[in-house]
Amino acid sequence: MKRLTALVAATLALVLTACGSSENITPEANSSSANQPVSVTDARNKKVDLKAPATKVVGLEWEIIENLITLGVQPVGVADVKGYTAWVSAGKLDGSAKDVGTRGEASVDAIVALTPDLIITTTDESPATITQLEKAAPVLVIRGADAKNAIPQMKTNLELIAQAVGKTDQAKTALAEFDQKLAEGKQKIADAGKAGTPYTMADGYKQGSTISIRMYTSGSLLGAVTNELGLKNAWTAAGDPDYGLAQTDIEGLTKLKDGEFLYIANNGDGGDVFGGDLAKNAIWKNLPFVKSGNVHRLADGIWMFGGPKSTEQFIDATVQAVTS
Amino acid sequence: MTQLTAQRPDLATAPLEPVRRVRVAGVFTIAIVAVVLLAAIHLTQGTSSVNAGDLLKLVIGQGTDNSANVLVASRLPRLLAGVLVGLALGVAGAGLQSLARNPLASPDTLGVNAGAYLAVVIFAAFGISLPTLPSGGIAFVGGLAAAVLVLSLSAGGTAGPTRLILAGSAVAMALAGVTTLLMLLYREETIGTFAWGAGTLVQTDLVAVKQMAPIVAVGIIGAMVLAPKLDILALGDDTASVLGVRVRRTRVWITLVTVLLSAAAVTVAGPVGFVGLVAPVLVRLIAPLVPGLMRHRVLLPLSGLSGILVVIASDVVLRAILGGQAGVEIPTGIMTMLVGAVVLVWLARRFRDSGPSRQQAGRAGGGLRTRRTFWIVTVSLVVLLVAALVFAMLAGDAFLRTGDIVNWINGRSGRAITYVLDTRFPRVLSAVLCGAALAIAGATVQAVCRNPLAEPGILGITGGAGVGAVVVLMAVPTAGIWLLSGVAAVAALATFALVYLVSWRGGLSSDRLVLIGVGVSSATTAIITFVIVYTDPWNISLAMTWLSGSTYGRTLPQVIPVAIALIVLTPVIVLARRELDLLSLDDDVPRILGVRLERTRLVALVGAALMTAAAVSAIGVVGFVGLVAPHAARALVGGRHARLLPIAALLGAVLVSVADSLGRTLLAPAQIPAGLLTALIGAPYFVYLLWRTRAVKL
């Protein structure tokens, strides 16, 4: 009982010494009155009204961060800065952004401490969390991915974000560059006589002797882009409704005919499954594209679920791999 | 304690029956033929188009290179992994059951698998990539530590099945909590270990199988060498000593050998659930027909064969029903876990209750403290709760000051503080209310089950609510809190009804209820994992939240069902406090005093189930509160429910609130789900409780 009393007393003492207030309550200055009000209808069909284009933005998914940087806006808050730096090379953070926690459960305290003008998240976030964030700042919700509509969805996401931060011109330029890159890539592939070549896009990870392979169907962003480049996706089974990803094992690859096999690996995450671990596997060695040397590891740091800039990196890498 | 009066004589005398060589050979032949047939079917299943016809052509020398490659590089590794894992776990299970003299011992129930798995995940999380062999060594150390802990908590397993199972479940839950935490924080690094964590047979090469096969061989040879001593050990320690067996040394050796086998299995395929439990049970089932089957020289290898059958059959059935693709997406361990849960329930149903010789949960008369003590404790806890509440409101990424809260209450705080406190408030409130609700539910369940170690989680009620909630979330992603709570409540009640009815055999034995509850709660974990892996395999955060409990992003409307449950159900349970006192004594006293035993029990348990469901739909699956809070309350103020209930509620509220506050601050801005921290705080306390009472047979 004595111990309990002591504990209570100690807790009370702690609480009392923490008295006072940590903020000066002053009316907030209206900093950007020069700009016009903005109204954006987001993926929830909800109108997001801003007094002026947002400048202090917090992003809770990596695609959003990349798009912000593409538009010339350095976000003030990023979910999982370390992971972003490792996985996304298309948009460089300048080091000023604060980490606001994990992508799954970002810290509301950290977000609000940044006093953002706008928070951008995806439809993967739970409605309750979005409601809560909305009390701190306007929230723009984009749909992370749509396997029925991958490329238009990626473009819509950039445009929505651009409207909210007042950078629609930059978005137009970026999308025009993207379309041009896509057309050039298509041309290069046609010039190389590779149009219509079957391809497979995959990534994989390993635990013990278990290798899980993730297939990018035509519904995935990278699958859709490769189709646009004039290649033909050899993996025809369906993936999940959002990201268009399917799972298989090494045996499942035997359904594939000759063609180009593209994959992404990351040295920070288990290394190169296809180039290393599968090298001695009898099925792998005898797959038609392995025999004919058409297996290509794309550069590290191409984010598979990113915006136009990541996708341009992917186009470059793919065109390079297929035409070389 | 409930003794296995039905089993004990078998276990003791069966090993000494003469071996009927012809019949035993017959059993072996049948088992081997069954393995060969299943293996043949197993080879025809897979994700490629290679089918039985192609393989047949291969046999007669007309096959294609393609089918030969598929056979050698995918089908055979998967089959051999299944064979090796089944063999190792089957023998390990039989060995552990003999060691513990308890048919419920297994690599799962002794925490060996959980320990080995945690060791493997630690290495994955910190990016230490080891070749298979040393990583097997790590798994061995983890598994051994867990087994030693559980065995010492349950007096080597001889303290009875309930104690063994509870010690094993608590240790496994605590270890799983740490594992989940690591996977949450190192999401990209451990992405491959989530499905693997349920045990998968997908194999890309024979490296793991080749490296682990010699270890399994050594383990099996070791077990066979020990077999005659195990026969004698079954007669009891004293008899064995008289007959010249060094009891202690034999026990140490058999522990090492069985842990070695289990760790090898985890290294190959992850923790494949409950094979070690099911395999020896199958052998025991046919033992009455074949004298001599329980001799360890026969029992151990036959359990190994039986283990192979369980693993391969699960894999064959899974792929026969859902197609070859399912063999990649759905871990085989989920299937064996479901099969294992059914067997666990079936085993538990066979236990006979040996009567009222047990220590009661409540001990309503005993341990009574003075009224003064009660009030001192109450006041202290109220103060503590207020302090915890204040701390919870202050703690977070950035620590606030009490003045901020005063401003906030008076509506004078600035925008940032107002917001932070507005969002923290529902979280804090949901932690406090759910903690109280789970504690009251736990106290009620313990009184009714007359078992101080029962709780809504262990009875499967929490898991059932979780299954309901996850299914709703997957089917109707936009579901509101009322639909979620409603379905969770219905699912919790249905699960509870199932446990209750299955446990009913001419009366309700509380030990049977606990054992069956543990089985059903394992099944619910398997189902939750199945639903998530099958419908939304990439949503790991969702999986973590629903398998471990989180207050993240709670809003006031989500707290309403718990508040209502507390307001409506607490008076009901408080009104029944005298009956609860009587129920926790024994069956006869309440009857004599005119309490309608079954009706009271049912009402109390339904109330507890509803409260649990409301809490689960608010913050997900949170364990240990219902177990630890009533226990601590009993230690503080004795077993009378008029006093026990409020104290337990206060303690539960404080526990979850503190866990939530710590979860938000320890690794900020990263957040640790409250449920995980509750397990990390609660499990050691529970282990301590078991340790303190290990001399007293429950």
Side-chain angles (χ1 to χ4, degrees):
Chain A
M1 193 48 59
K2 259 183 190 166
R3 242 188 265 163
L4 191 66
T5 321
L7 189 65
V8 172
T11 318
L12 275 181
L14 184 81
V15 168
L16 291 174
T17 49
C19 269
S21 173
S22 51
E23 65 176 356
N24 295 318
I25 304 158
T26 45
E28 279 171 49
N30 198 350
S31 54
S32 47
S33 53
N35 287 312
Q36 293 298 307
V38 179
S39 178
V40 191
T41 307
D42 74 0
R44 299 168 292 172
N45 267 327
K46 180 170 175 171
K47 266 180 89 175
V48 179
D49 291 310
L50 304 172
K51 280 186 217 134
T55 51
K56 293 170 79 179
V57 187
V58 170
L60 303 182
E61 244 315 321
W62 294 345
E63 175 192 5
I64 297 162
I65 307 303
E66 183 202 317
N67 279 335
L68 284 169
I69 296 172
T70 303
L71 296 168
V73 177
Q74 281 286 332
V76 293
V78 171
D80 193 358
V81 171
K82 188 168 154 265
Y84 179 86
T85 314
W87 280 91
V88 192
S89 61
K92 291 264 185 291
L93 286 169
D94 65 6
S96 65
K98 285 275 184 306
D99 195 316
V100 296
T102 57
R103 286 190 287 159
E105 296 193 345
S107 160
V108 284
D109 294 6
I111 294 171
V112 79
L114 299 168
T115 59
D117 309 331
L118 181 68
I119 301 165
I120 310 181
T121 185
T122 69
T123 43
D124 286 353
E125 195 75 77
S126 83
T129 309
I130 293 175
T131 312
Q132 216 171 48
L133 290 172
E134 271 177 332
K135 289 185 190 138
V139 178
L140 183 78
V141 181
I142 62 168
R143 175 160 180 180
D146 179 3
K148 286 198 201 76
N149 207 16
I151 298 175
Q153 183 66 50
M154 176 201 77
K155 291 182 170 176
T156 308
N157 288 346
L158 182 75
E159 283 164 351
L160 275 180
I161 294 171
Q163 281 176 39
V165 296
K167 303 276 185 183
T168 43
D169 292 345
Q170 283 84 340
K172 269 191 198 122
T173 316
L175 290 180
E177 280 170 17
F178 171 78
D179 286 335
Q180 195 189 344
K181 178 75 84 180
L182 193 60
E184 281 171 14
K186 185 172 185 167
Q187 191 60 46
K188 281 182 193 160
I189 283 178
D191 291 347
K194 292 278 189 176
T197 311
Y199 77 92
T200 308
M201 170 67 209
D203 65 1
Y205 31 91
K206 179 177 173 170
Q207 176 66 51
S209 273
T210 304
I211 288 181
S212 315
I213 299 172
R214 248 188 345 189
M215 305 301 282
Y216 288 69
T217 70
S218 298
S220 70
L221 178 61
L222 299 190
V225 166
T226 320
N227 283 355
E228 284 296 310
L229 286 173
L231 304 177
K232 189 169 169 291
N233 200 334
W235 186 263
T236 49
D240 75 285
D242 290 318
Y243 297 98
L245 300 172
Q247 279 170 286
T248 192
D249 57 358
I250 177 70
E251 187 186 327
L253 297 180
T254 56
K255 289 176 192 159
L256 300 169
K257 303 280 174 282
D258 197 7
E260 304 287 340
F261 187 90
L262 311 166
Y263 71 92
I264 287 181
N266 194 304
N267 281 341
D269 176 34
D272 185 350
V273 167
F274 299 102
D277 301 305
L278 284 175
K280 281 190 214 148
N281 184 283
I283 297 182
W284 177 254
K285 277 194 295 187
N286 285 291
L287 289 169
F289 41 83
V290 179
K291 275 185 177 165
S292 51
N294 287 330
V295 176
H296 311 282
R297 175 177 178 176
L298 308 181
D300 281 21
I302 299 178
W303 182 231
M304 296 83 94
F305 314 99
K309 290 298 165 198
S310 283
T311 316
E312 281 177 32
Q313 289 181 330
F314 172 73
I315 293 172
D316 280 341
T318 302
V319 170
Q320 160 81 24
V322 170
T323 56
S324 64
Chain B
M1 182 62 237
T2 305
Q3 298 292 341
L4 303 182
T5 42
Q7 262 84 29
R8 285 283 167 119
D10 308 351
L11 276 178
T13 56
L16 298 185
E17 285 172 352
V19 177
R20 295 280 198 89
R21 287 175 192 282
V22 178
R23 282 200 213 178
V24 167
V27 171
F28 268 97
T29 313
I30 293 171
I32 289 171
V33 168
V35 166
V36 170
L37 284 177
L38 273 171
I41 302 174
H42 191 269
L43 285 178
T44 65
Q45 296 174 318
T47 47
S48 72
S49 56
V50 175
N51 58 25
D54 297 323
L55 292 175
L56 218 56
K57 277 186 205 155
L58 205 61
V59 173
I60 56 171
Q62 293 179 344
T64 59
D65 282 354
N66 181 34
S67 32
N69 291 335
V70 166
L71 184 68
V72 171
S74 172
R75 303 273 169 97
L76 273 178
R78 187 172 178 131
L79 177 65
L80 290 177
V83 168
L84 192 71
V85 166
L87 186 65
L89 290 177
V91 175
L96 287 171
Q97 291 180 6
S98 299
L99 170 77
R101 293 208 192 100
N102 191 325
L104 287 170
S106 79
D108 307 88
T109 47
L110 293 185
V112 179
N113 278 349
Y117 179 45
L118 173 60
V120 172
V121 168
I122 287 176
F123 273 73
F126 296 109
I128 308 164
S129 180
L130 287 177
T132 315
L133 201 56
S135 102
I138 301 293
F140 174 73
V141 173
L144 186 64
V148 167
L149 180 62
V150 173
L151 283 171
S152 48
L153 289 176
S154 59
T158 51
T162 319
R163 194 180 177 86
L164 178 86
I165 289 284
L166 287 170
S169 313
V171 169
M173 253 172 97
L175 294 173
V178 182
T179 308
T180 313
L181 182 63
L182 284 172
M183 289 166 72
L184 204 60
L185 295 177
Y186 297 90
R187 182 162 130 184
E188 301 295 338
E189 288 85 347
T190 57
I191 188 167
T193 48
F194 180 60
W196 190 80
T200 173
L201 291 180
V202 175
Q203 296 284 315
T204 315
D205 54 47
L206 281 171
V207 172
V209 171
K210 268 190 204 153
Q211 292 192 336
M212 287 298 129
I215 291 180
V216 171
V218 167
I220 291 174
I221 292 169
M224 292 307 284
V225 169
L226 291 166
K229 289 185 178 163
L230 283 174
D231 285 342
I232 300 172
L233 214 57
L235 298 171
D237 288 358
D238 296 340
T239 320
S241 304
V242 171
L243 292 173
V245 172
R246 293 193 179 176
V247 174
R248 257 190 108 78
R249 208 206 278 179
T250 311
R251 282 174 174 268
V252 169
W253 274 113
I254 194 72
T255 309
L256 289 176
V257 163
T258 48
V259 170
L260 186 73
L261 287 168
S262 318
V266 169
T267 311
V268 171
V272 178
F274 281 142
V275 177
L277 182 79
V278 178
V281 169
L282 292 178
V283 178
R284 200 167 295 127
L285 270 180
I286 50 167
L289 304 174
V290 188
L293 223 49
M294 297 306 284
R295 287 263 183 131
H296 282 87
R297 282 236 160 119
V298 181
L299 173 68
L300 293 174
L302 201 55
S303 296
L305 274 178
S306 161
I308 299 175
L309 282 175
V310 172
V311 173
I312 303 295
S314 300
D315 209 23
V316 165
V317 169
L318 173 72
R319 295 194 287 178
I321 294 173
L322 292 171
Q325 182 64 22
V328 179
E329 287 165 0
I330 299 160
T332 312
I334 290 182
M335 287 296 289
T336 59
M337 215 165 145
L338 282 173
V339 175
V342 172
V343 169
L344 190 61
V345 168
W346 176 81
L347 265 181
R349 242 183 91 78
R350 295 179 59 202
F351 286 150
R352 285 195 201 152
D353 200 340
S354 63
S357 61
R358 271 170 291 118
Q359 175 198 3
Q360 289 87 27
R363 284 187 300 154
L368 200 60
R369 308 294 163 91
T370 61
R371 180 176 292 265
R372 194 167 147 264
T373 315
F374 170 69
W375 283 112
I376 293 174
V377 172
T378 310
V379 171
S380 312
L381 279 175
V382 169
V383 172
L384 204 62
L385 178 62
V386 172
L389 272 171
V390 173
F391 176 70
M393 291 298 279
L394 296 179
D397 249 351
F399 274 82
L400 302 180
R401 301 179 186 188
T402 41
D404 295 329
I405 297 183
V406 175
N407 283 343
W408 175 70
I409 292 171
N410 295 327
R412 287 193 284 112
S413 53
R415 177 168 158 261
I417 299 280
T418 308
Y419 173 75
V420 165
L421 290 177
D422 279 353
T423 51
R424 252 180 222 176
F425 180 58
R427 271 186 95 153
V428 171
L429 200 62
S430 67
V432 167
L433 292 182
C434 290
L438 288 170
I440 293 176
T444 312
V445 168
Q446 289 181 5
V448 175
C449 294
R450 211 175 298 141
N451 191 323
L453 300 175
E455 68 130 356
I458 278 171
L459 289 189
I461 300 174
T462 320
V467 169
V470 167
V471 167
V472 169
L473 272 182
M474 292 305 178
V476 195
T478 54
I481 183 64
W482 291 107
L483 183 60
L484 205 64
S485 294
V487 176
V490 171
L493 285 176
T495 315
F496 165 63
L498 180 76
V499 172
Y500 196 85
L501 291 176
V502 173
S503 316
W504 185 276
R505 280 190 84 186
L508 194 69
S509 145
S510 66
D511 288 299
R512 206 156 54 217
L513 191 69
V514 170
L515 292 175
I516 288 176
V518 169
V520 170
S521 98
S522 306
T524 58
T525 310
I527 295 170
I528 293 176
T529 314
F530 177 87
V531 171
I532 291 173
V533 169
Y534 199 60
T535 51
D536 201 354
W538 312 117
N539 206 337
I540 290 179
S541 299
L542 181 81
M544 297 295 178
T545 303
W546 278 103
L547 290 168
S548 54
S550 170
T551 59
Y552 184 72
R554 293 310 101 163
T555 52
L556 276 180
Q558 288 171 298
V559 183
I560 294 173
V562 198
I564 291 178
L566 274 172
I567 292 167
V568 173
L569 294 171
T570 310
V572 175
I573 293 172
V574 168
L575 274 179
R577 64 190 185 279
R578 296 299 309 160
E579 281 82 359
L580 287 178
D581 287 348
L582 293 173
L583 276 181
S584 58
L585 284 174
D586 61 41
D587 280 5
D588 299 329
V589 176
R591 276 210 191 92
I592 292 165
L593 294 176
V595 175
R596 292 173 69 178
L597 195 63
E598 294 313 333
R599 206 188 60 175
T600 315
R601 254 183 193 163
L602 196 63
V603 169
L605 285 176
V606 167
L610 283 175
M611 265 203 205
T612 308
V616 167
S617 59
I619 62 171
V621 178
V622 174
F624 280 106
V625 190
L627 196 76
V628 166
H631 237 281
R634 201 168 293 125
L636 286 172
V637 297
R640 265 177 55 195
H641 286 82
R643 293 176 180 184
L644 173 67
L645 286 170
I647 297 298
L650 285 169
L651 281 170
V654 170
L655 173 62
V656 181
S657 180
V658 168
D660 180 46
S661 307
L662 291 179
R664 283 184 282 126
T665 42
L666 286 182
L667 295 173
Q671 319 255 308
I672 307 168
L676 283 183
L677 271 182
T678 311
L680 292 184
I681 299 172
Y685 179 75
F686 182 64
V687 167
Y688 160 76
L689 278 179
L690 283 168
W691 181 258
R692 218 184 46 179
T693 57
R694 72 196 183 283
V696 187
K697 288 197 173 183
L698 286 168

